[in-house]
C-alpha cells in the first residue's frame, strides 16, 4: 500500500529525492545507511547544504527561513530525507530551541540566534534532565538567582546529548523556589557552554558510544537578557518544545530503511532449502511491522498541525516501539554474528543499534509519561 499523492506532490517528492542524493555527500549517506557513527563535521556539512537550499527549517515561520508547505509536503520532506539516509537537521536547533525562540523570544534573541541556529553555526544542547528530575521534569533543582543584570546558575544536568559539541545550552532553571506549584517557578535561559563554571563529563553507554553527558553548572553567570520569554513561564515553553520533539521522534523513515535492510539481509540468509525470508513466521512478523509503520505514517500525516498533547505522545510512543521492534528483528537476522563486537560489520553494528534503541523508551518523556498524557488528553481518564 502506498500513500496517494497528487501530480504536484509527486513532482515535489521527486525534486527532493534528487536533491538529497545529488547534494549530500555519498560517504555521509552510506555511514547513515550502515549505522556507522557520524562526526560533528558530517552533521554540520549536511545541515549547511540543506540550509543553502532553503530546506533546513521548513517548519519555522517563513520570516526566519520556514516554508509555506502543506502537511503532506512537510511529511514528504522528512520521509524522503530519511529514506535517502540523509542526517536530519540537528533536532536541538531545528525542532526544539528554534521554534521556541521564533514564538516566544525577544526580537534581540531572534535576530541574534535564529539564522546561525538554522545554519548550524551554533550547536545547541538541551539542559532539561537532572539526576533527580528526569521523567518528573518539574522536580528540577538547578537554580538561577538574579544578581543585577545577570542570573547565577548552579546545579547539574544529566543525559545531555552532544553537550561535548555544543556552543550553547537552552536550560530549564528554577527562578522561584517558593512557588506553590513546581511548574510555576521555572524559567528558560540560554547559557554559553564556554562560560566559567561549566564542566562537561561524557557518560560511557552500553553500546560503546558516549553521546550523552553530565553537565555541572557552578555559579555560572548568565546575562539576564538571555532569558527566553517571561521569568517563571519556562514550563509553558518547555511543553511547546517537547511537543515538537516528540513529533520528530516517530522516526518513520528510519524504520522503513531498517525494515528494507532486514528484508534484503533475510533474503540472503540461507535456512534449510530456502532463505529466512521464506520462513512464514518471520515473514509475518516483518509484514506486521511494515503495516504498523504505515498506520503510524497515516497518523503522523493527520497530526502534523497538532504538535502538542495526545497526538504527539502517540507518535512518540508507537514510533519508539516500532524502532525497537525493528532492531530486535535485525538481531535475529544477524544471528550469531551479532555477538561479535565488530563495528566494521553489519551484524556487529546491529547489536549496537539494538542497545542504543532502548533509550527511546526514556528520552523526550518516558513511555509511562506518554501513556499518562494519552489517558488524560484523549481518553479523558
Amino acid at each position: 500500500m502506498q500513500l496517494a499523492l497528487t501530480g504536484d506532490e509527486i513532482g515535489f517528492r521527486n525534486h527532493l529525492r534528487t536533491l538529497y542524493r545529488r547534494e549530500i555527500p555519498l560517504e555521509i549517506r552510506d555511514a547513515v545507511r550502515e549505522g556507522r557513527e557520524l562526526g560533528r563535521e558530517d552533521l554540520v556539512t549536511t545541515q549547511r547544504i540543506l540550509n543553502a537550499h532553503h530546506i533546513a527549517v521548513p517548519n519555522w515561520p517563513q520570516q526566519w527561513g520556514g516554508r509555506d508547505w502543506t502537511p503532506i509536503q512537510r511529511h514528504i520532506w522528512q520521509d524522503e530525507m530519511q529514506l535517502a539516509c540523509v542526517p536530519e537537521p540537528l533536532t536541538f536547533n531545528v525542532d526544539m530551541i528554534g521554534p521556541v525562540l521564533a514564538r516566544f523570544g525577544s526580537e534581540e534573541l531572534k535576530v541574534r540566534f535564529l539564522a546561525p541556529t538554522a545554519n548550524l553555526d551554533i550547536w545547541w544542547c538541551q539542559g532539561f534532565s537532572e539526576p533527580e528530575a528526569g521523567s518528573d521534569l518539574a522536580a528540577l533543582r538547578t537554580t538561577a538567582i538574579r544578581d543585577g543584570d545577570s542570573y547565577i546558575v548552579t546545579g547539574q544536568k544529566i543525559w545531555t546529548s552532544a553537550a561535548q559539541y555544543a556552543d550553547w545550552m537552552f536550560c530549564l532553571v528554577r527562578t522561584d523556589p517558593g512557588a506553590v506549584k513546581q511548574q510555576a517557578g521555572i524559567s528558560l535561559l540560554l547559557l554559553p557552554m564556554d562560560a566559567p563554571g561549566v564542566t562537561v563529563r561524557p557518560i560511557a553507554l552500553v553500546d560503546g558510544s558516549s553521546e550523552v553527558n553530565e553537565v555541572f553548572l557552578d555559579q555560572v553567570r548568565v546575562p539576564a537578557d538571555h532569558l527566553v520569554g517571561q521569568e517563571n513561564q519556562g514550563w509553558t515553553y518547555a511543553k511547546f518544545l517537547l511537543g515538537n520533539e516528540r513529533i520528530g521522534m516517530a522516526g518513520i523513515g528510519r524504520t522503513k530503511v531498517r525494515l528494507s535492510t532486514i528484508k534484503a539481509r533475510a533474503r540472503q540468509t540461507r535456512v534449510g532449502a530456502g532463505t529466512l525470508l521464506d520462513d512464514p513466521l518471520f515473514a509475518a512478523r516483518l509484514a506486521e511491522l511494515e503495516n504498523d509503520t504505515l498506520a503510524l505514517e497515516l497518523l503522523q500525516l493527520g497530526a502534523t498541525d497538532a504538535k502538542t498533547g495526545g497526538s504527539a505522545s502517540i507518535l512518540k510512543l508507537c514510533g519508539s516501539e516500532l524502532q525497537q521492534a525493528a532492531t530486535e528483528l535485525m538481531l535475529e537476522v544477524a544471528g550469531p554474528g551479532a555477538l561479535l563486537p565488530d563495528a566494521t560489520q553489519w551484524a556487529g553494528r546491529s547489536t549496537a543499534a539494538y542497545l542504543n534503541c532502548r533509550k527511546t523508551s526514556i528520552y523526550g518523556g518516558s513511555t509511562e509519561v506518554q501513556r499518562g498524557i494519552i489517558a488524560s488528553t484523549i481518553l479523558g481518564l
Side-chain angles (χ1 to χ4, degrees):
M1 182 177 176
Q2 298 292 325
L3 299 175
L5 302 177
T6 67
D8 287 343
E9 289 165 350
I10 291 173
F12 178 81
R13 181 199 63 189
N14 292 344
H15 167 70
L16 288 179
R17 188 172 287 181
T18 301
L19 188 153
Y20 288 145
R21 288 164 174 77
R22 183 187 65 213
E23 300 294 336
I24 307 303
L26 180 61
E27 58 269 25
I28 293 178
R29 293 194 292 114
D30 281 347
V32 174
R33 182 179 295 105
E34 295 166 9
R36 288 185 275 124
E37 188 174 354
L38 294 176
R40 185 183 194 278
E41 287 309 309
D42 295 326
L43 299 175
V44 171
T45 296
T46 301
Q47 185 156 330
R48 289 180 180 172
I49 292 173
L50 297 177
N51 197 43
H53 287 83
H54 310 292
I55 55 172
V57 291
N59 295 325
W60 288 16
Q62 286 182 267
Q63 177 185 1
W64 303 109
R67 304 295 296 269
D68 185 22
W69 285 347
T70 66
I72 292 288
Q73 287 176 312
R74 290 199 290 270
H75 171 76
I76 291 172
W77 166 77
Q78 185 177 48
D79 195 52
E80 288 296 325
M81 188 183 307
Q82 293 177 347
L83 291 175
C85 295
V86 172
E88 294 176 62
L90 190 67
T91 189
F92 310 113
N93 288 34
V94 173
D95 301 318
M96 297 185 186
I97 192 60
V100 169
L101 289 176
R103 181 158 176 175
F104 302 107
S106 66
E107 283 304 307
E108 290 76 13
L109 292 181
K110 293 175 185 177
V111 170
R112 177 177 178 182
F113 287 113
L114 283 177
T117 294
N119 202 47
L120 203 41
D121 298 331
I122 294 173
W123 185 301
W124 291 92
C125 65
Q126 180 186 35
F128 279 20
S129 295
E130 298 187 3
E132 302 298 329
S135 296
D136 185 13
L137 185 57
L140 64 89
R141 296 180 178 178
T142 295
T143 59
I145 299 173
R146 188 67 181 260
D147 180 29
D149 294 334
S150 302
Y151 288 97
I152 306 299
V153 180
T154 302
Q156 180 188 351
K157 300 295 179 180
I158 196 168
W159 311 123
T160 310
S161 299
Q164 67 269 45
Y165 299 144
D167 305 301
W168 286 80
M169 169 190 285
F170 49 92
C171 185
L172 286 179
V173 294
R174 187 161 298 285
T175 42
D176 182 6
V180 176
K181 292 183 63 176
Q182 286 183 318
Q183 295 86 346
I186 294 173
S187 299
L188 182 62
L189 283 181
L190 307 181
L191 186 151
M193 293 296 284
D194 61 355
V198 178
T199 301
V200 177
R201 187 164 68 189
I203 300 173
L205 299 180
V206 68
D207 68 345
S209 70
S210 298
E211 65 179 277
V212 296
N213 302 269
E214 294 175 288
V215 179
F216 299 91
L217 306 169
D218 183 11
Q219 300 189 52
V220 180
R221 183 171 289 274
V222 178
D225 59 6
H226 288 185
L227 173 73
V228 178
Q230 300 178 31
E231 191 175 81
N232 297 327
Q233 295 299 311
W235 190 250
T236 298
Y237 315 142
K239 288 193 295 182
F240 176 82
L241 182 152
L242 289 171
N244 288 324
E245 181 187 19
R246 287 165 187 163
I247 286 279
M249 284 180 177
I252 293 170
R254 288 193 295 274
T255 299
K256 287 181 180 177
V257 171
R258 282 197 174 113
L259 294 178
S260 175
T261 301
I262 289 168
K263 185 179 290 186
R265 295 277 179 177
R267 188 177 288 114
Q268 300 167 3
T269 303
R270 303 299 303 179
V271 176
T275 71
L276 183 57
L277 194 59
D278 298 325
D279 181 276
L281 290 178
F282 179 88
R285 290 171 59 196
L286 181 60
E288 185 176 7
L289 286 180
E290 290 177 325
N291 288 335
D292 289 346
T293 302
L294 177 58
L296 192 62
E297 185 174 21
L298 293 172
L299 176 64
Q300 181 170 269
L301 280 170
T304 304
D305 285 333
K307 293 185 176 179
T308 58
S311 296
S313 292
I314 291 176
L315 285 168
K316 197 276 178 180
L317 176 64
C318 296
S320 298
E321 291 178 346
L322 277 174
Q323 291 175 61
Q324 292 178 343
T327 56
E328 290 167 10
L329 208 55
M330 283 173 60
L331 278 187
E332 188 168 323
V333 176
L339 299 176
L340 301 175
D342 185 356
T344 66
Q345 301 297 320
W346 179 82
R349 290 195 298 274
S350 67
T351 305
Y354 167 83
L355 293 172
N356 192 275
C357 245
R358 301 309 100 184
K359 69 185 180 187
T360 61
S361 297
I362 301 173
Y363 68 33
S366 69
T367 292
E368 289 74 16
V369 168
Q370 305 315 311
R371 293 188 191 281
I373 293 173
I374 293 167
S376 61
T377 62
I378 296 180
L379 302 178
L381 300 175

